[in-house]
Amino acid sequence: MRLRRFAARVAVRTRNLWGRIRRRERREIVAFRRWIENTNNLLHLTVLLVIPILIGTVTFVSNAVDTLTFLLFPPLASGTFTLFSDPEGRYASPFRFVLALTVGALCGLVAYGFAAWVYGPTGMAIVHPSSAALAIFLAGAATWSLDVEAPSAFSTALLTLVTGDVNPVNYVLSIFAASVVIAGVFALWREEFYERRAEYLYETVRGDDHVLVPMRGDDETATRTAFFAARLAAAHAAGKVVLLDVLSPDEVGDDETEGVAIDPRPDAPSQDGTGSPAADAAVERLEATAHQIRTHVGVPVEVVVASGNPLPATTTATANTNCDLIVTPYEEDRGLLSDYIRGLFGGEYDTVAFRSVGSEFRWRRVLVLVARPGDAAHAMIDFACRLTGQTGSVSVTTCISAEVERRPAETKLANLVETVDGNIETRVAKSDVTSFIDANAGTYDLVVLGSSGDRSAASRFISPPTFERIREIDCDVAVFDRGL
């Protein structure tokens, strides 16, 4: 008997330990996925992994072919870094990469021949100053005239002069062949992965199409929030909206903690069998809104009635209905976020707190304020583009405090929006965020902000989140929080 109890305890502890390990692994995977959604991190990781493999491959080939020399590698390595570290930059052209390296090597070959003709053979260990100067001059003139200027061209021009036992002509041919291989790998990587990275890496592009809407607050606010959620869901073919009403246990005469009733059709009975008058009335209210959404937006709508504490009832309903995004009316309590919103923010699911001041159910001009690159920024831009479609416009903006920050900010925004289709612009404003919103919000239908969930408690205490300082702006506001 004791042995059985001991074995049972061991089994329980083993299961608990295994569960903790798996939860830790999931957290690590999620953290890595969100880290790599930052384009700068993706490029650094690519450079770290791809360049050693490519150069190692060329080295392997050079060791097997006597006519190749190690002097191939310095210009190839620097040129490869230039390609992969800035795939959309000035030098990120496979054709220019091959042409620049080859032209530089040809210019070095011409300079080598000129020096041999004028001064006679001097040996490959000695380079005459005039040949080095001529190689650089020819490389600069040739790449300028061909509009293929690249730093690596000057490397090949000089290295052609010191090829050792390898004939300079063979060196030029080797440069051309190796650069063609690297350019082909880069072109394939950029077309098949980098330019399509949103499909592989950005979760909201593939998900966040099953949206749960807690119908809280007055009817008008709840209805507008539901239509906002429907516009988000309708952008995906598999999108759906679930309308949720949470009743207290007293209203449904239920002493249980939470009971969820799903009613996907107007005439369907509640699945938990409560059938209380309060639950039936709630279903009728939800179905009235659901009918409007089905008629005007054309997205599937289900209704859910839950009982119990609003926060756990919401998360339970989200899990039961297979939703991956919660869109809830914005709520405040004594000037701060309500406990309900705070409970959803930082929770398991992506959440949008939507504050409405208008009367339209369309959002054609959207301002997205981005503080830093990352998964939350990509999600906000994705949501904005879903709302505006092909006919509206999205302005992705970041604010800076000093002019020296402008160029890095422009690069950051360019990386964020280059995978997005639609009418989208980027803006860098030298202004305080709140002042910028006050001055520009009137020209937009919606402002999209992050929840500042990645800021420390001390930082939020010293400087409250932006969305808590813009209560008087004259347009709708959506505050996005990335789930765990």
Side-chain angles (χ1 to χ4, degrees):
M1 196 68 179
R2 291 181 180 177
L3 183 60
R4 287 184 179 179
R5 286 198 297 267
F6 175 75
R9 287 197 299 270
V10 170
V12 170
R13 291 179 180 178
T14 301
R15 286 196 299 270
N16 291 340
L17 177 61
W18 180 244
R20 287 196 295 270
I21 292 174
R22 295 194 63 181
R23 287 193 295 272
R24 178 65 179 270
E25 288 178 347
R26 284 196 296 269
R27 286 196 296 268
E28 294 295 334
I29 292 173
V30 169
F32 174 76
R33 185 172 59 241
R34 293 184 179 177
W35 177 84
I36 205 172
E37 284 188 17
N38 185 321
T39 300
N40 289 333
N41 293 336
L42 172 64
L43 293 179
H44 280 111
L45 185 62
T46 301
V47 167
L48 185 65
L49 298 178
V50 171
I51 294 182
I53 293 174
L54 287 176
I55 298 303
T57 302
V58 176
T59 304
F60 176 80
V61 174
S62 71
N63 291 336
V65 181
D66 294 335
T67 57
L68 297 183
T69 172
F70 189 79
L71 294 176
L72 278 171
F73 308 132
L76 286 177
S78 63
T80 305
F81 175 83
T82 301
L83 284 178
F84 283 93
S85 64
D86 190 10
E88 303 293 340
R90 175 184 177 186
Y91 301 113
S93 165
F95 173 77
R96 288 162 62 97
F97 172 74
V98 174
L99 188 59
L101 288 175
T102 306
V103 166
L106 287 172
C107 292
L109 181 61
V110 171
Y112 172 80
F114 174 79
W117 176 66
V118 173
Y119 303 107
T122 59
M124 298 307 297
I126 300 175
V127 178
H128 200 280
S130 62
S131 63
L134 180 60
I136 293 298
F137 171 78
L138 292 176
T143 55
W144 182 23
S145 61
L146 294 173
D147 192 27
V148 292
E149 293 175 287
S152 52
F154 297 94
S155 300
T156 56
L158 289 178
L159 290 173
T160 307
L161 305 176
V162 289
T163 53
D165 296 332
V166 178
N167 187 293
V169 174
N170 290 337
Y171 179 75
V172 173
L173 295 176
S174 301
I175 282 287
F176 172 75
S179 63
V180 166
V181 171
I182 290 176
V185 172
F186 169 74
L188 181 66
W189 170 82
R190 185 173 65 177
E191 181 177 350
E192 297 299 325
F193 177 77
Y194 182 76
E195 293 182 349
R196 300 171 58 187
R197 63 191 184 277
E199 301 176 25
Y200 305 126
L201 300 179
Y202 304 161
E203 288 184 291
T204 56
V205 175
R206 305 187 307 271
D208 283 352
D209 47 12
H210 292 180
V211 188
L212 182 126
V213 184
M215 301 290 282
R216 297 169 61 87
D218 60 74
D219 291 343
E220 182 179 355
T221 298
T223 299
R224 283 186 55 77
T225 303
F227 268 88
F228 176 83
R231 296 294 181 190
L232 291 177
H236 287 181
K240 75 170 183 179
V241 175
V242 178
L243 305 182
L244 169 69
D245 196 358
V246 181
L247 306 177
S248 68
D250 293 339
E251 290 181 281
V252 296
D254 187 4
D255 293 330
E256 302 291 333
T257 53
E258 284 96 26
V260 177
I262 303 176
D263 178 17
R265 302 175 308 280
D267 56 348
S270 63
Q271 293 181 2
D272 68 349
T274 58
S276 71
D280 293 340
V283 168
E284 185 176 350
R285 290 194 304 270
L286 295 180
E287 276 299 340
T289 304
H291 177 72
Q292 296 181 54
I293 294 173
R294 296 186 191 107
T295 301
H296 292 92
V297 183
V299 66
V301 185
E302 299 175 2
V303 300
V304 172
V305 175
S307 64
N309 187 292
L311 184 57
T314 299
T315 55
T316 299
T318 304
N320 289 346
T321 56
N322 194 32
C323 289
D324 45 19
L325 174 66
I326 299 172
V327 176
T328 183
Y330 184 85
E331 299 176 0
E332 288 188 353
D333 182 14
R334 294 187 294 272
L336 300 175
L337 283 180
S338 69
D339 292 339
Y340 178 78
I341 300 294
R342 289 182 182 277
L344 293 177
F345 282 5
E348 181 180 354
Y349 298 98
D350 291 354
T351 302
V352 174
F354 178 69
R355 195 194 73 173
S356 176
V357 297
S359 57
E360 295 293 329
F361 289 163
R362 297 286 301 191
W363 296 268
R364 296 180 176 86
R365 300 183 306 267
V366 179
L367 171 65
V368 180
L369 284 168
V370 174
R372 59 190 63 83
D375 55 324
H378 287 297
M380 292 190 295
I381 295 170
D382 176 48
F383 290 159
C385 292
R386 292 194 206 182
L387 293 169
T388 58
Q390 297 298 317
T391 59
S393 62
V394 176
S395 177
V396 182
T397 302
T398 191
C399 293
I400 59 176
S401 57
E403 196 62 31
V404 70
E405 302 172 10
R406 182 172 297 277
R407 182 160 295 183
E410 290 173 344
T411 301
K412 173 183 70 177
L413 295 182
N415 288 337
L416 286 172
V417 306
E418 65 187 6
T419 61
V420 180
D421 295 326
N423 185 11
I424 187 167
E425 66 168 359
T426 60
R427 297 178 62 180
V428 177
K430 186 180 176 182
S431 169
D432 172 77
V433 177
T434 307
S435 300
F436 177 83
I437 295 175
D438 289 339
N440 294 273
T443 61
Y444 294 96
D445 302 319
L446 174 70
V447 173
V448 182
L449 303 164
S451 68
S452 303
D454 55 350
R455 293 172 57 191
S456 67
S459 172
R460 290 194 295 271
F461 176 77
I462 294 171
S463 177
T466 301
F467 66 85
E468 292 185 355
R469 294 181 279 155
I470 55 171
R471 299 181 180 90
E472 305 302 325
I473 65 173
D474 188 27
C475 73
D476 294 350
V477 177
V479 183
F480 174 73
D481 181 82
R482 199 76 165 98
L484 298 179

